[in-house]
C-alpha cells in the first residue's frame, strides 16, 4: 500500500506492472476484464478481502494450479462471498485467507 494518488507516475507504473503480470498468469483474460482491486491496493496493502469479481476471474488459474475442477473452485468462491454490513453498507467481498484455507481442505 501507499498514499500515492492515481495521477502519480510511479503509482501508474506499478499498476501497469501488476496488470502485465496478471495477464501473463491468466491467459484468455483481457485488460478490460481485470477488476481494479486486483491491480490496486488498499492504503495499508493488508486488506484480506477482494471483490467477488476478482475471485471469480482467477477460478480457472487456481483450479489448474491446485488440480481441481473449475466448478469446485467456483462453488467455494460463491460460498465465501460475504454480504455488505447489515446488507446495506459497502460492497460484497471474499476473504482470501478463509477461501484459501477451504481450498487447502479439499486435498
Amino acid at each position: 500500500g501507499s498514499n500515492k494518488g492515481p495521477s502519480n507516475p510511479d503509482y501508474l507504473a506499478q499498476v501497469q506492472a501488476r496488470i502485465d503480470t496478471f495477464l501473463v498468469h491468466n491467459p484468455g483474460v483481457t485488460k478490460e476484464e481485470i477488476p481494479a482491486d486486483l491491480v490496486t491496493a488498499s492504503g495499508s496493502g493488508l486488506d484480506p478481502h477482494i471483490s467477488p469479481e476478482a475471485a471469480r476471474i482467477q477460478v480457472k488459474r487456481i483450479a489448474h494450479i491446485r488440480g481441481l475442477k473449475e466448478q469446485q473452485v467456483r462453488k467455494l468462491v460463491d460460498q465465501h462471498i460475504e454480504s455488505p454490513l447489515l446488507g446495506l453498507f459497502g460492497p460484497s467481498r471474499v476473504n482470501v485467507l478463509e477461501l484459501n484455507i477451504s481450498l487447502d481442505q479439499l486435498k
Side-chain angles (χ1 to χ4, degrees):
S2 75
N3 63 355
K4 295 176 182 170
S7 62
N8 183 293
D10 294 334
Y11 176 73
L12 294 174
Q14 288 175 340
V15 170
Q16 186 60 54
R18 292 173 187 154
I19 290 169
D20 295 343
T21 300
F22 186 85
L23 292 172
V24 166
H25 294 286
N26 295 274
V29 174
T30 65
K31 179 179 177 178
E32 295 75 24
E33 294 173 309
I34 302 172
D37 58 313
L38 285 181
V39 294
T40 58
S42 63
S44 67
L46 301 174
D47 189 349
H49 297 91
I50 60 176
S51 67
E53 296 78 19
R56 287 183 184 124
I57 202 164
Q58 298 180 80
V59 164
K60 183 176 183 173
R61 178 177 54 84
I62 298 303
H64 176 74
I65 289 170
R66 288 180 174 261
L68 300 169
K69 295 182 180 182
E70 287 182 41
Q71 180 183 359
Q72 288 176 288
V73 177
R74 194 173 298 108
K75 182 178 178 182
L76 272 182
V77 167
D78 290 343
Q79 290 172 350
H80 283 81
I81 295 174
E82 300 173 0
S83 297
L85 180 64
L86 303 175
L88 302 170
F89 304 106
S92 295
R93 58 197 188 157
V94 175
N95 184 307
V96 176
L97 176 60
E98 291 177 3
L99 176 57
N100 282 333
I101 290 169
S102 293
L103 285 165
D104 288 345
Q105 291 172 350
L106 288 179
K107 292 195 173 198

